[in-house]
Amino acid sequence: MHIHRVFVSLAIPLVLGACAPSTTQSATPASTPTGGGQFYETSDFALTLPPGWRIFDPAKDRQALQSAINSLPPEQRPVAERALQQADFRLFALESESAGLSTLNLSAQRLGQGVSLNDLCRLLPQTYQQNRLEVLETQCNVNLSGSRALRFTVETQAGATRVRIYQYVLLRQGDEMWVLTLGTSSTLWESRRAVFEAIAATFRLR
């Protein structure tokens, strides 16, 4: 299992989002407004984002993501470059506000047969700690649209900003790990936490 590599990569879009300028432009999102939100779907997954979030499809908007990476401090760019090349990112979204920035990213990774959510709930906190992310809470039985998921609350330092993250982990077909990551600065966490939970509650795998 390449869990170590995956979770090093998953930290990068959040750091990238925290550093990206608020003027970043995205391509027209493949989403449909519904009930005051943006419904986004592919053949693999669906979720709804609140109004005001800008959606990037990594397969189509790679140039915009590369521009954001180029805006990072020089010491962070090589790690972000490797992450963009290695991780199978399916979605990236930004919510810009005058007080700060919130981000979402979604990735998928084949793990091989024989890996259970119980195994991941035991192993992933160790991987977070090895990558200098502080684990604040672990929940091993969260319901997302009828599917069992894990949820980890972690913190990390992104430059001068302390960032707090929700990571939801699901398995599809027994060997494909999907990870939904939502985060913002620790100072904004309490004002954004309910929004993140509402977004996660709309997520479903197909």
Side-chain angles (χ1 to χ4, degrees), residues 41-104:
E41 64 178 340
T42 72
S43 59
D44 290 317
F45 69 90
L47 84 166
T48 301
L49 290 167
W53 285 70
R54 288 173 291 169
I55 300 171
F56 297 81
D57 179 339
K60 299 176 183 177
D61 303 333
R62 202 171 187 87
Q63 185 174 355
L65 290 173
Q66 186 63 57
S67 296
I69 287 176
N70 291 341
S71 71
L72 292 171
E75 66 274 11
Q76 294 180 12
R77 290 176 201 161
V79 181
E81 289 278 5
R82 288 196 298 272
L84 194 60
Q85 293 168 6
Q86 293 175 354
D88 187 4
F89 294 117
R90 303 299 181 92
L91 184 68
F92 183 62
L94 298 172
E95 178 198 33
S96 294
E97 294 186 342
S98 59
L101 188 71
S102 299
T103 68
L104 173 152

Tab-separated table of all heavy atoms in Angstrom, residues 41-104:
chain	number	residue	atom	x	y	z
A	41	GLU	N	-20.991	16.431	-10.753
A	41	GLU	CA	-20.986	14.979	-10.843
A	41	GLU	C	-20.118	14.501	-11.995
A	41	GLU	O	-19.932	15.195	-12.995
A	41	GLU	CB	-22.407	14.446	-11.010
A	41	GLU	CG	-23.094	14.864	-12.295
A	41	GLU	CD	-24.480	14.260	-12.426
A	41	GLU	OE1	-24.765	13.241	-11.749
A	41	GLU	OE2	-25.275	14.794	-13.214
A	42	THR	N	-19.576	13.304	-11.816
A	42	THR	CA	-18.860	12.590	-12.862
A	42	THR	C	-19.388	11.160	-12.858
A	42	THR	O	-20.304	10.822	-12.107
A	42	THR	CB	-17.344	12.582	-12.595
A	42	THR	OG1	-17.065	11.704	-11.483
A	42	THR	CG2	-16.820	13.984	-12.292
A	43	SER	N	-18.798	10.309	-13.661
A	43	SER	CA	-19.210	8.908	-13.664
A	43	SER	C	-18.797	8.197	-12.381
A	43	SER	O	-19.292	7.102	-12.089
A	43	SER	CB	-18.602	8.184	-14.867
A	43	SER	OG	-17.182	8.264	-14.834
A	44	ASP	N	-17.892	8.798	-11.594
A	44	ASP	CA	-17.374	8.165	-10.376
A	44	ASP	C	-17.981	8.707	-9.091
A	44	ASP	O	-18.071	7.988	-8.092
A	44	ASP	CB	-15.859	8.332	-10.286
A	44	ASP	CG	-15.117	7.507	-11.319
A	44	ASP	OD1	-15.498	6.338	-11.502
A	44	ASP	OD2	-14.180	8.029	-11.939
A	45	PHE	N	-18.357	9.985	-9.058
A	45	PHE	CA	-18.804	10.589	-7.802
A	45	PHE	C	-19.712	11.776	-8.072
A	45	PHE	O	-19.808	12.274	-9.193
A	45	PHE	CB	-17.601	11.036	-6.962
A	45	PHE	CG	-16.845	12.200	-7.556
A	45	PHE	CD1	-17.184	13.513	-7.233
A	45	PHE	CD2	-15.801	11.991	-8.439
A	45	PHE	CE1	-16.505	14.587	-7.789
A	45	PHE	CE2	-15.111	13.065	-8.991
A	45	PHE	CZ	-15.459	14.361	-8.670
A	46	ALA	N	-20.341	12.245	-6.993
A	46	ALA	CA	-21.157	13.459	-7.054
A	46	ALA	C	-21.083	14.150	-5.703
A	46	ALA	O	-20.921	13.504	-4.665
A	46	ALA	CB	-22.606	13.125	-7.404
A	47	LEU	N	-21.180	15.474	-5.717
A	47	LEU	CA	-21.293	16.256	-4.488
A	47	LEU	C	-21.840	17.628	-4.819
A	47	LEU	O	-21.893	18.023	-5.990
A	47	LEU	CB	-19.962	16.366	-3.746
A	47	LEU	CG	-18.966	17.460	-4.158
A	47	LEU	CD1	-17.892	17.607	-3.089
A	47	LEU	CD2	-18.331	17.173	-5.493
A	48	THR	N	-22.257	18.346	-3.781
A	48	THR	CA	-22.791	19.697	-3.953
A	48	THR	C	-21.957	20.674	-3.148
A	48	THR	O	-21.682	20.441	-1.964
A	48	THR	CB	-24.264	19.767	-3.493
A	48	THR	OG1	-25.038	18.841	-4.271
A	48	THR	CG2	-24.831	21.165	-3.691
A	49	LEU	N	-21.557	21.756	-3.788
A	49	LEU	CA	-20.788	22.820	-3.140
A	49	LEU	C	-21.658	24.060	-2.991
A	49	LEU	O	-22.530	24.319	-3.833
A	49	LEU	CB	-19.558	23.166	-3.972
A	49	LEU	CG	-18.455	22.113	-4.004
A	49	LEU	CD1	-17.449	22.429	-5.091
A	49	LEU	CD2	-17.760	22.044	-2.652
A	50	PRO	N	-21.437	24.849	-1.944
A	50	PRO	CA	-22.207	26.089	-1.779
A	50	PRO	C	-21.872	27.090	-2.883
A	50	PRO	O	-20.857	26.969	-3.567
A	50	PRO	CB	-21.739	26.612	-0.415
A	50	PRO	CG	-21.091	25.444	0.258
A	50	PRO	CD	-20.505	24.608	-0.833
A	51	PRO	N	-22.718	28.101	-3.069
A	51	PRO	CA	-22.392	29.169	-4.019
A	51	PRO	C	-21.069	29.832	-3.622
A	51	PRO	O	-20.717	29.899	-2.447
A	51	PRO	CB	-23.564	30.147	-3.865
A	51	PRO	CG	-24.671	29.342	-3.268
A	51	PRO	CD	-24.013	28.320	-2.391
A	52	GLY	N	-20.349	30.309	-4.616
A	52	GLY	CA	-19.120	31.038	-4.340
A	52	GLY	C	-17.865	30.197	-4.382
A	52	GLY	O	-16.756	30.741	-4.349
A	53	TRP	N	-17.993	28.877	-4.442
A	53	TRP	CA	-16.816	28.012	-4.567
A	53	TRP	C	-16.442	27.899	-6.041
A	53	TRP	O	-17.295	27.706	-6.894
A	53	TRP	CB	-17.103	26.631	-3.995
A	53	TRP	CG	-17.122	26.575	-2.500
A	53	TRP	CD1	-18.056	27.110	-1.672
A	53	TRP	CD2	-16.155	25.941	-1.662
A	53	TRP	NE1	-17.743	26.852	-0.357
A	53	TRP	CE2	-16.572	26.136	-0.327
A	53	TRP	CE3	-14.976	25.226	-1.902
A	53	TRP	CZ2	-15.864	25.644	0.763
A	53	TRP	CZ3	-14.264	24.727	-0.826
A	53	TRP	CH2	-14.702	24.946	0.496
A	54	ARG	N	-15.138	28.000	-6.318
A	54	ARG	CA	-14.642	27.842	-7.683
A	54	ARG	C	-14.104	26.431	-7.845
A	54	ARG	O	-13.282	25.985	-7.055
A	54	ARG	CB	-13.558	28.875	-7.990
A	54	ARG	CG	-14.113	30.283	-8.147
A	54	ARG	CD	-13.010	31.296	-8.270
A	54	ARG	NE	-12.291	31.439	-7.008
A	54	ARG	CZ	-11.149	32.105	-6.870
A	54	ARG	NH1	-10.602	32.673	-7.910
A	54	ARG	NH2	-10.573	32.208	-5.697
A	55	ILE	N	-14.559	25.754	-8.865
A	55	ILE	CA	-14.250	24.346	-9.059
A	55	ILE	C	-13.201	24.190	-10.148
A	55	ILE	O	-13.298	24.775	-11.220
A	55	ILE	CB	-15.519	23.566	-9.450
A	55	ILE	CG1	-16.575	23.687	-8.353
A	55	ILE	CG2	-15.205	22.101	-9.732
A	55	ILE	CD1	-17.934	23.133	-8.735
A	56	PHE	N	-12.182	23.361	-9.861
A	56	PHE	CA	-11.142	23.021	-10.826
A	56	PHE	C	-11.217	21.522	-11.100
A	56	PHE	O	-11.170	20.722	-10.164
A	56	PHE	CB	-9.740	23.327	-10.278
A	56	PHE	CG	-9.480	24.777	-9.991
A	56	PHE	CD1	-9.930	25.354	-8.810
A	56	PHE	CD2	-8.754	25.557	-10.874
A	56	PHE	CE1	-9.679	26.686	-8.519
A	56	PHE	CE2	-8.496	26.893	-10.591
A	56	PHE	CZ	-8.962	27.458	-9.422
A	57	ASP	N	-11.313	21.145	-12.346
A	57	ASP	CA	-11.151	19.753	-12.743
A	57	ASP	C	-9.671	19.568	-13.075
A	57	ASP	O	-9.177	20.139	-14.049
A	57	ASP	CB	-12.014	19.464	-13.974
A	57	ASP	CG	-11.889	18.033	-14.462
A	57	ASP	OD1	-10.880	17.374	-14.142
A	57	ASP	OD2	-12.793	17.575	-15.172
A	58	PRO	N	-8.916	18.788	-12.270
A	58	PRO	CA	-7.475	18.675	-12.510
A	58	PRO	C	-7.126	18.208	-13.915
A	58	PRO	O	-6.072	18.562	-14.447
A	58	PRO	CB	-7.024	17.654	-11.456
A	58	PRO	CG	-8.021	17.793	-10.360
A	58	PRO	CD	-9.339	18.065	-11.065
A	59	ALA	N	-8.010	17.421	-14.547
A	59	ALA	CA	-7.719	16.938	-15.890
A	59	ALA	C	-7.836	18.049	-16.930
A	59	ALA	O	-7.175	18.010	-17.972
A	59	ALA	CB	-8.671	15.796	-16.244
A	60	LYS	N	-8.671	19.063	-16.652
A	60	LYS	CA	-8.921	20.126	-17.622
A	60	LYS	C	-8.265	21.442	-17.236
A	60	LYS	O	-7.964	22.272	-18.109
A	60	LYS	CB	-10.434	20.347	-17.765
A	60	LYS	CG	-11.196	19.122	-18.253
A	60	LYS	CD	-12.691	19.389	-18.266
A	60	LYS	CE	-13.477	18.168	-18.688
A	60	LYS	NZ	-14.942	18.397	-18.635
A	61	ASP	N	-8.086	21.673	-15.943
A	61	ASP	CA	-7.606	22.967	-15.447
A	61	ASP	C	-6.185	22.877	-14.913
A	61	ASP	O	-5.812	23.585	-13.980
A	61	ASP	CB	-8.535	23.477	-14.340
A	61	ASP	CG	-9.973	23.598	-14.807
A	61	ASP	OD1	-10.177	23.798	-16.015
A	61	ASP	OD2	-10.880	23.475	-13.978
A	62	ARG	N	-5.394	22.007	-15.502
A	62	ARG	CA	-4.039	21.791	-14.990
A	62	ARG	C	-3.187	23.052	-15.064
A	62	ARG	O	-2.345	23.299	-14.215
A	62	ARG	CB	-3.372	20.644	-15.754
A	62	ARG	CG	-2.229	19.990	-15.001
A	62	ARG	CD	-1.767	18.728	-15.708
A	62	ARG	NE	-0.786	18.014	-14.909
A	62	ARG	CZ	-1.089	17.131	-13.971
A	62	ARG	NH1	-2.354	16.876	-13.711
A	62	ARG	NH2	-0.138	16.514	-13.292
A	63	GLN	N	-3.411	23.865	-16.087
A	63	GLN	CA	-2.624	25.094	-16.220
A	63	GLN	C	-2.881	26.041	-15.057
A	63	GLN	O	-1.949	26.670	-14.538
A	63	GLN	CB	-2.942	25.781	-17.546
A	63	GLN	CG	-2.069	27.013	-17.802
A	63	GLN	CD	-2.308	27.593	-19.186
A	63	GLN	OE1	-3.056	27.040	-19.987
A	63	GLN	NE2	-1.664	28.728	-19.471
A	64	ALA	N	-4.143	26.134	-14.621
A	64	ALA	CA	-4.467	27.000	-13.483
A	64	ALA	C	-3.810	26.480	-12.210
A	64	ALA	O	-3.296	27.256	-11.399
A	64	ALA	CB	-5.980	27.084	-13.306
A	65	LEU	N	-3.816	25.141	-12.013
A	65	LEU	CA	-3.158	24.568	-10.843
A	65	LEU	C	-1.653	24.788	-10.906
A	65	LEU	O	-1.008	25.074	-9.894
A	65	LEU	CB	-3.477	23.077	-10.749
A	65	LEU	CG	-4.920	22.724	-10.379
A	65	LEU	CD1	-5.138	21.227	-10.487
A	65	LEU	CD2	-5.255	23.208	-8.977
A	66	GLN	N	-1.076	24.649	-12.108
A	66	GLN	CA	0.361	24.872	-12.244
A	66	GLN	C	0.729	26.320	-11.929
A	66	GLN	O	1.755	26.593	-11.293
A	66	GLN	CB	0.804	24.524	-13.665
A	66	GLN	CG	2.314	24.578	-13.872
A	66	GLN	CD	3.052	23.571	-13.023
A	66	GLN	OE1	2.790	22.375	-13.106
A	66	GLN	NE2	3.974	24.037	-12.188
A	67	SER	N	-0.122	27.256	-12.332
A	67	SER	CA	0.130	28.666	-12.023
A	67	SER	C	0.116	28.904	-10.517
A	67	SER	O	0.924	29.672	-9.989
A	67	SER	CB	-0.926	29.556	-12.693
A	67	SER	OG	-0.830	29.472	-14.099
A	68	ALA	N	-0.811	28.221	-9.826
A	68	ALA	CA	-0.860	28.359	-8.373
A	68	ALA	C	0.394	27.784	-7.736
A	68	ALA	O	0.943	28.354	-6.787
A	68	ALA	CB	-2.108	27.671	-7.829
A	69	ILE	N	0.875	26.651	-8.246
A	69	ILE	CA	2.114	26.064	-7.727
A	69	ILE	C	3.283	27.022	-7.943
A	69	ILE	O	4.141	27.189	-7.072
A	69	ILE	CB	2.386	24.705	-8.395
A	69	ILE	CG1	1.414	23.655	-7.850
A	69	ILE	CG2	3.831	24.250	-8.174
A	69	ILE	CD1	1.521	22.306	-8.512
A	70	ASN	N	3.328	27.661	-9.105
A	70	ASN	CA	4.418	28.589	-9.401
A	70	ASN	C	4.430	29.779	-8.457
A	70	ASN	O	5.463	30.451	-8.299
A	70	ASN	CB	4.318	29.084	-10.848
A	70	ASN	CG	4.606	27.982	-11.847
A	70	ASN	OD1	5.210	26.962	-11.514
A	70	ASN	ND2	4.163	28.167	-13.082
A	71	SER	N	3.286	30.065	-7.799
A	71	SER	CA	3.220	31.195	-6.875
A	71	SER	C	3.702	30.817	-5.468
A	71	SER	O	3.825	31.687	-4.608
A	71	SER	CB	1.783	31.732	-6.796
A	71	SER	OG	0.932	30.828	-6.100
A	72	LEU	N	3.967	29.513	-5.251
A	72	LEU	CA	4.434	29.078	-3.941
A	72	LEU	C	5.878	29.523	-3.706
A	72	LEU	O	6.621	29.780	-4.652
A	72	LEU	CB	4.365	27.551	-3.841
A	72	LEU	CG	2.986	26.902	-3.812
A	72	LEU	CD1	3.114	25.391	-3.932
A	72	LEU	CD2	2.239	27.271	-2.541
A	73	PRO	N	6.301	29.589	-2.435
A	73	PRO	CA	7.715	29.837	-2.148
A	73	PRO	C	8.583	28.770	-2.810
A	73	PRO	O	8.162	27.610	-2.936
A	73	PRO	CB	7.785	29.737	-0.616
A	73	PRO	CG	6.398	30.051	-0.158
A	73	PRO	CD	5.485	29.499	-1.211
A	74	PRO	N	9.790	29.099	-3.249
A	74	PRO	CA	10.638	28.156	-4.001
A	74	PRO	C	10.854	26.819	-3.292
A	74	PRO	O	10.895	25.774	-3.946
A	74	PRO	CB	11.955	28.925	-4.160
A	74	PRO	CG	11.557	30.356	-4.089
A	74	PRO	CD	10.409	30.430	-3.132
A	75	GLU	N	10.962	26.830	-1.963
A	75	GLU	CA	11.241	25.581	-1.256
A	75	GLU	C	10.044	24.627	-1.249
A	75	GLU	O	10.193	23.427	-1.019
A	75	GLU	CB	11.685	25.869	0.187
A	75	GLU	CG	10.625	26.492	1.092
A	75	GLU	CD	10.561	28.011	0.994
A	75	GLU	OE1	11.200	28.566	0.058
A	75	GLU	OE2	9.898	28.631	1.837
A	76	GLN	N	8.832	25.146	-1.517
A	76	GLN	CA	7.643	24.301	-1.518
A	76	GLN	C	7.298	23.763	-2.898
A	76	GLN	O	6.565	22.788	-3.027
A	76	GLN	CB	6.448	25.078	-0.964
A	76	GLN	CG	6.563	25.448	0.500
A	76	GLN	CD	5.345	26.210	0.988
A	76	GLN	OE1	4.332	26.279	0.314
A	76	GLN	NE2	5.456	26.792	2.170
A	77	ARG	N	7.828	24.378	-3.941
A	77	ARG	CA	7.417	24.002	-5.296
A	77	ARG	C	7.760	22.568	-5.670
A	77	ARG	O	6.918	21.871	-6.257
A	77	ARG	CB	8.045	24.970	-6.310
A	77	ARG	CG	7.467	26.362	-6.263
A	77	ARG	CD	8.198	27.287	-7.214
A	77	ARG	NE	7.996	28.682	-6.840
A	77	ARG	CZ	8.770	29.676	-7.246
A	77	ARG	NH1	9.791	29.431	-8.054
A	77	ARG	NH2	8.529	30.912	-6.847
A	78	PRO	N	8.971	22.049	-5.378
A	78	PRO	CA	9.277	20.663	-5.790
A	78	PRO	C	8.321	19.637	-5.190
A	78	PRO	O	7.908	18.696	-5.869
A	78	PRO	CB	10.715	20.455	-5.282
A	78	PRO	CG	11.291	21.835	-5.189
A	78	PRO	CD	10.146	22.711	-4.772
A	79	VAL	N	7.946	19.819	-3.925
A	79	VAL	CA	7.020	18.881	-3.284
A	79	VAL	C	5.654	18.957	-3.954
A	79	VAL	O	5.012	17.936	-4.224
A	79	VAL	CB	6.911	19.186	-1.783
A	79	VAL	CG1	5.969	18.205	-1.110
A	79	VAL	CG2	8.282	19.132	-1.131
A	80	ALA	N	5.201	20.183	-4.223
A	80	ALA	CA	3.900	20.350	-4.868
A	80	ALA	C	3.905	19.778	-6.285
A	80	ALA	O	2.926	19.174	-6.731
A	80	ALA	CB	3.530	21.829	-4.897
A	81	GLU	N	5.017	19.956	-6.999
A	81	GLU	CA	5.141	19.399	-8.345
A	81	GLU	C	5.017	17.880	-8.308
A	81	GLU	O	4.305	17.285	-9.112
A	81	GLU	CB	6.493	19.798	-8.959
A	81	GLU	CG	6.612	21.258	-9.334
A	81	GLU	CD	5.980	21.560	-10.684
A	81	GLU	OE1	5.365	20.654	-11.268
A	81	GLU	OE2	6.096	22.711	-11.139
A	82	ARG	N	5.713	17.244	-7.376
A	82	ARG	CA	5.652	15.786	-7.272
A	82	ARG	C	4.240	15.329	-6.931
A	82	ARG	O	3.748	14.335	-7.456
A	82	ARG	CB	6.647	15.280	-6.222
A	82	ARG	CG	8.095	15.365	-6.653
A	82	ARG	CD	8.973	14.514	-5.760
A	82	ARG	NE	8.944	14.965	-4.378
A	82	ARG	CZ	9.755	15.890	-3.882
A	82	ARG	NH1	10.645	16.483	-4.664
A	82	ARG	NH2	9.683	16.238	-2.616
A	83	ALA	N	3.597	16.082	-6.050
A	83	ALA	CA	2.229	15.715	-5.658
A	83	ALA	C	1.283	15.784	-6.851
A	83	ALA	O	0.451	14.899	-7.052
A	83	ALA	CB	1.744	16.629	-4.545
A	84	LEU	N	1.407	16.827	-7.649
A	84	LEU	CA	0.535	16.998	-8.807
A	84	LEU	C	0.743	15.874	-9.810
A	84	LEU	O	-0.188	15.420	-10.465
A	84	LEU	CB	0.801	18.356	-9.465
A	84	LEU	CG	-0.231	18.841	-10.486
A	84	LEU	CD1	-1.602	18.980	-9.842
A	84	LEU	CD2	0.205	20.161	-11.097
A	85	GLN	N	1.980	15.373	-9.914
A	85	GLN	CA	2.292	14.304	-10.849
A	85	GLN	C	1.867	12.938	-10.318
A	85	GLN	O	1.431	12.071	-11.079
A	85	GLN	CB	3.797	14.286	-11.144
A	85	GLN	CG	4.287	15.506	-11.896
A	85	GLN	CD	5.793	15.603	-11.923
A	85	GLN	OE1	6.494	14.697	-11.470
A	85	GLN	NE2	6.318	16.697	-12.444
A	86	GLN	N	1.971	12.723	-8.997
A	86	GLN	CA	1.779	11.392	-8.436
A	86	GLN	C	0.350	11.103	-8.026
A	86	GLN	O	-0.158	10.006	-8.249
A	86	GLN	CB	2.686	11.212	-7.214
A	86	GLN	CG	4.164	11.193	-7.563
A	86	GLN	CD	5.031	11.129	-6.319
A	86	GLN	OE1	4.540	11.202	-5.200
A	86	GLN	NE2	6.324	11.003	-6.520
A	87	ALA	N	-0.301	12.051	-7.395
A	87	ALA	CA	-1.622	11.786	-6.825
A	87	ALA	C	-2.691	11.853	-7.917
A	87	ALA	O	-2.599	12.656	-8.840
A	87	ALA	CB	-1.930	12.779	-5.718
A	88	ASP	N	-3.700	11.022	-7.785
A	88	ASP	CA	-4.798	10.987	-8.734
A	88	ASP	C	-5.898	11.914	-8.233
A	88	ASP	O	-6.899	11.484	-7.675
A	88	ASP	CB	-5.307	9.547	-8.869
A	88	ASP	CG	-6.343	9.414	-9.980
A	88	ASP	OD1	-6.592	10.421	-10.673
A	88	ASP	OD2	-6.907	8.325	-10.140
A	89	PHE	N	-5.713	13.217	-8.428
A	89	PHE	CA	-6.690	14.197	-7.975
A	89	PHE	C	-7.883	14.225	-8.913
A	89	PHE	O	-7.735	14.280	-10.129
A	89	PHE	CB	-6.061	15.591	-7.886
A	89	PHE	CG	-5.009	15.707	-6.833
A	89	PHE	CD1	-3.698	15.994	-7.179
A	89	PHE	CD2	-5.316	15.507	-5.502
A	89	PHE	CE1	-2.716	16.090	-6.204
A	89	PHE	CE2	-4.337	15.603	-4.529
A	89	PHE	CZ	-3.033	15.894	-4.880
A	90	ARG	N	-9.083	14.200	-8.355
A	90	ARG	CA	-10.300	14.204	-9.154
A	90	ARG	C	-11.021	15.545	-9.109
A	90	ARG	O	-11.817	15.835	-9.992
A	90	ARG	CB	-11.234	13.096	-8.652
A	90	ARG	CG	-10.621	11.703	-8.664
A	90	ARG	CD	-10.209	11.258	-10.056
A	90	ARG	NE	-9.648	9.936	-10.056
A	90	ARG	CZ	-10.359	8.817	-10.248
A	90	ARG	NH1	-11.662	8.906	-10.432
A	90	ARG	NH2	-9.777	7.642	-10.249
A	91	LEU	N	-10.777	16.348	-8.083
A	91	LEU	CA	-11.472	17.623	-7.946
A	91	LEU	C	-10.705	18.513	-6.986
A	91	LEU	O	-10.121	18.030	-6.010
A	91	LEU	CB	-12.894	17.398	-7.412
A	91	LEU	CG	-13.796	18.640	-7.300
A	91	LEU	CD1	-14.143	19.179	-8.688
A	91	LEU	CD2	-15.088	18.303	-6.559
A	92	PHE	N	-10.699	19.820	-7.282
A	92	PHE	CA	-10.103	20.812	-6.396
A	92	PHE	C	-11.012	22.030	-6.429
A	92	PHE	O	-11.478	22.431	-7.493
A	92	PHE	CB	-8.691	21.171	-6.874
A	92	PHE	CG	-7.964	22.139	-5.974
A	92	PHE	CD1	-7.678	21.805	-4.663
A	92	PHE	CD2	-7.551	23.375	-6.443
A	92	PHE	CE1	-7.006	22.684	-3.832
A	92	PHE	CE2	-6.872	24.256	-5.621
A	92	PHE	CZ	-6.600	23.905	-4.313
A	93	ALA	N	-11.324	22.597	-5.274
A	93	ALA	CA	-12.215	23.760	-5.214
A	93	ALA	C	-11.720	24.739	-4.171
A	93	ALA	O	-11.121	24.354	-3.168
A	93	ALA	CB	-13.647	23.315	-4.896
A	94	LEU	N	-11.994	26.019	-4.410
A	94	LEU	CA	-11.576	27.108	-3.529
A	94	LEU	C	-12.777	27.966	-3.152
A	94	LEU	O	-13.631	28.251	-3.981
A	94	LEU	CB	-10.559	28.023	-4.224
A	94	LEU	CG	-9.228	27.441	-4.671
A	94	LEU	CD1	-8.487	28.488	-5.496
A	94	LEU	CD2	-8.389	27.035	-3.475
A	95	GLU	N	-12.793	28.390	-1.911
A	95	GLU	CA	-13.761	29.391	-1.459
A	95	GLU	C	-12.966	30.577	-0.935
A	95	GLU	O	-12.318	30.488	0.109
A	95	GLU	CB	-14.665	28.858	-0.350
A	95	GLU	CG	-15.648	29.894	0.160
A	95	GLU	CD	-16.236	29.538	1.518
A	95	GLU	OE1	-15.530	28.920	2.332
A	95	GLU	OE2	-17.387	29.903	1.772
A	96	SER	N	-12.984	31.693	-1.643
A	96	SER	CA	-12.249	32.880	-1.223
A	96	SER	C	-13.165	33.814	-0.460
A	96	SER	O	-14.281	34.083	-0.885
A	96	SER	CB	-11.671	33.617	-2.431
A	96	SER	OG	-10.691	32.838	-3.056
A	97	GLU	N	-12.679	34.290	0.669
A	97	GLU	CA	-13.382	35.290	1.440
A	97	GLU	C	-12.375	36.333	1.884
A	97	GLU	O	-11.177	36.084	1.911
A	97	GLU	CB	-14.066	34.663	2.663
A	97	GLU	CG	-15.195	33.699	2.310
A	97	GLU	CD	-15.938	33.207	3.542
A	97	GLU	OE1	-15.375	33.339	4.644
A	97	GLU	OE2	-17.046	32.702	3.393
A	98	SER	N	-12.869	37.492	2.280
A	98	SER	CA	-11.955	38.553	2.695
A	98	SER	C	-11.140	38.137	3.906
A	98	SER	O	-10.013	38.580	4.100
A	98	SER	CB	-12.750	39.825	3.008
A	98	SER	OG	-13.703	39.584	4.031
A	99	ALA	N	-11.704	37.219	4.727
A	99	ALA	CA	-11.012	36.806	5.949
A	99	ALA	C	-10.028	35.664	5.724
A	99	ALA	O	-9.238	35.360	6.590
A	99	ALA	CB	-12.036	36.385	6.996
A	100	GLY	N	-10.100	35.007	4.569
A	100	GLY	CA	-9.201	33.882	4.351
A	100	GLY	C	-9.674	32.999	3.224
A	100	GLY	O	-10.453	33.403	2.380
A	101	LEU	N	-9.201	31.760	3.219
A	101	LEU	CA	-9.430	30.862	2.108
A	101	LEU	C	-9.723	29.471	2.627
A	101	LEU	O	-9.067	28.980	3.535
A	101	LEU	CB	-8.174	30.827	1.225
A	101	LEU	CG	-8.262	30.080	-0.093
A	101	LEU	CD1	-9.132	30.843	-1.082
A	101	LEU	CD2	-6.856	29.924	-0.673
A	102	SER	N	-10.731	28.819	2.059
A	102	SER	CA	-11.028	27.422	2.354
A	102	SER	C	-10.825	26.617	1.080
A	102	SER	O	-11.028	27.125	-0.024
A	102	SER	CB	-12.465	27.252	2.846
A	102	SER	OG	-12.683	27.975	4.033
A	103	THR	N	-10.435	25.341	1.226
A	103	THR	CA	-10.171	24.505	0.064
A	103	THR	C	-10.796	23.131	0.217
A	103	THR	O	-11.056	22.665	1.322
A	103	THR	CB	-8.654	24.313	-0.165
A	103	THR	OG1	-8.118	23.530	0.907
A	103	THR	CG2	-7.924	25.630	-0.242
A	104	LEU	N	-11.028	22.510	-0.930
A	104	LEU	CA	-11.492	21.127	-1.004
A	104	LEU	C	-10.680	20.420	-2.058
A	104	LEU	O	-10.393	20.982	-3.116
A	104	LEU	CB	-12.980	21.092	-1.371
A	104	LEU	CG	-13.636	19.742	-1.664
A	104	LEU	CD1	-15.128	19.796	-1.319
A	104	LEU	CD2	-13.487	19.319	-3.140
